[in-house]
């Protein structure tokens, strides 16, 4: 029997209310969890045929999503962000209320005036820092944050515009598995000290070091997104049974001790951590090749996997805050009004999703998952 904790009174019938907001119903072996509709605070939608193929998967589960700007060319201006948002909206199912929240791609030459325009647009909600060469389409990223981007950072503080950080150094001398730790020591910690009023999201954290850093900072100014892959997989998943290209992402999967630290952080009830899938679709041919792309496509399975993690830790009472409350609270946005249902109903993940130019392989393709999310 699962242990459940609740600040609300538990009735003698088999219904447990979490925080008087989410409800878990137990009917013999079947469980149903009703939670406020989640948001995805880190999402890649791409453009063209890929966008049209994947956007409905996120829109089916999430009310809003922070959409990453690393297209070709990158989204570096407010005008480009507005145009990209219109493209996304046109690609949605006709009955969808999904709201894409746009971001700008920070470069060495970003003009501080762009931050003011972004805030006034009411559609741009963050500026993404990619260290040049850190991940997919990051070649136009920042090469010298403190030397070339200080005026922009000052303007971001003035307009309360969050900086969304891909937290890895790119020096070839630094071991791939240590790049997040070194980034914290050499870039992020000095940044937070220099700009204590700058809102920072450390995206897709992967290490115990990142958890400790976020927890050491002032609540409300530094937070972190956590992906499903970094909660359920460790670096062994890259190599079991041979090289597994569909488990390759950046930041790369880490040791088991780091995965356990992430699980402890998100299931603790801390407001500093919230849902960000980093769902990143690539055509199968770009993953299964001699130099495969980094990125895991998890949009169709993310909520199922988050529920699995929280259930295993006897922390389903804390799932709603992680998926639905902590993100909007940090960004200063209202929480969603709609609900979704998570049913303890086994379902099979599709083997692939076909689109005009090829197909995309989802995380856990062809496998059975325990939790099935459906809109209410």
């Amino acid at each position: 029997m699962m242990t459940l904790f609740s600040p609300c009174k538990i009735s003698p019938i088999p219904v447990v209310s979490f925080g008087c907001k989410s409800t878990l119903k137990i009917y013999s072996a079947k469980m149903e969890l009703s939670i406020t509709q989640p948001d995805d605070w880190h999402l890649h939608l791409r453009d063209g045929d890929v966008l049209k193929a994947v956007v409905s998967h996120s829109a089916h589960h999430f009310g809003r999503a922070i959409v990453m700007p690393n297209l070709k060319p990158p989204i570096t201006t407010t005008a480009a962000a507005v145009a990209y948002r219109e493209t996304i909206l046109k690609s949605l199912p006709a009955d969808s209320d999904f709201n894409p929240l746009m971001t700008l791609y920070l470069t060495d030459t970003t003009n501080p005036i762009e931050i003011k325009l972004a805030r006034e647009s009411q559609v741009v909600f963050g500026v993404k820092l990619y260290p040049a060469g850190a991940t997919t389409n990051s070649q136009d990223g920042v090469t010298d944050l403190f030397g070339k981007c200080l005026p922009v950072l000052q303007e971001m503080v003035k307009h309360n515009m969050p900086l969304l950080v891909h937290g890895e150094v790119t020096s070839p001398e630094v071991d791939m598995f240590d790049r997040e730790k070194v980034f914290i020591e050499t870039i992020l910690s000095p940044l937070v000290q220099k700009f204590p009023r700058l809102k920072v999201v450390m995206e897709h954290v992967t290490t115990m070091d990142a958890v400790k850093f976020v927890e050491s900072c002032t609540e409300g100014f530094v937070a972190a997104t956590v992906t499903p892959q970094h909660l359920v997989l460790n670096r062994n998943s890259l190599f079991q049974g041979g090289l597994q290209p569909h488990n390759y992402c950046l930041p790369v999967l880490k040791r088991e001790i780091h995965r356990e630290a992430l699980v402890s952080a998100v299931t603790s009830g801390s407001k500093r951590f919230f849902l960000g899938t980093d769902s990143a679709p690539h055509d199968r041919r770009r993953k299964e090749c001699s130099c495969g792309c980094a990125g895991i496509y998890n949009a169709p399975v993310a909520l199922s996997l988050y529920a699995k993690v929280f259930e295993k830790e006897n922390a389903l009472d804390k799932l709603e805050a992680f998926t639905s409350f902590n993100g909007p609270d940090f960004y200063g946005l209202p929480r969603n009004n709609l609900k979704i249902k998570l049913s303890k109903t086994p379902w099979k993940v599709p083997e692939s999703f076909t689109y005009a130019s090829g197909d995309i392989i989802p995380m856990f393709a062809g496998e059975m998952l325990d939790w099935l999310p459906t809109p209410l």
Side-chain angles (χ1 to χ4, degrees), residues 55-74:
V55 67
S56 63
H57 297 154
S58 293
H60 184 68
H61 295 155
F62 300 103
R64 297 166 291 197
I66 286 283
V67 180
M68 291 297 142
N70 57 330
L71 304 185
K72 288 185 177 180

Side-chain angles (χ1 to χ4, degrees), residues 7 17 85 101 153 161 168 179 205 278 285 332 340:
S17 177
R85 183 174 187 271
L101 310 178
L153 295 173
M161 179 69 75
E168 292 186 292
R179 289 183 175 183
V205 292
D278 194 20
R285 291 165 296 185
I340 69 162

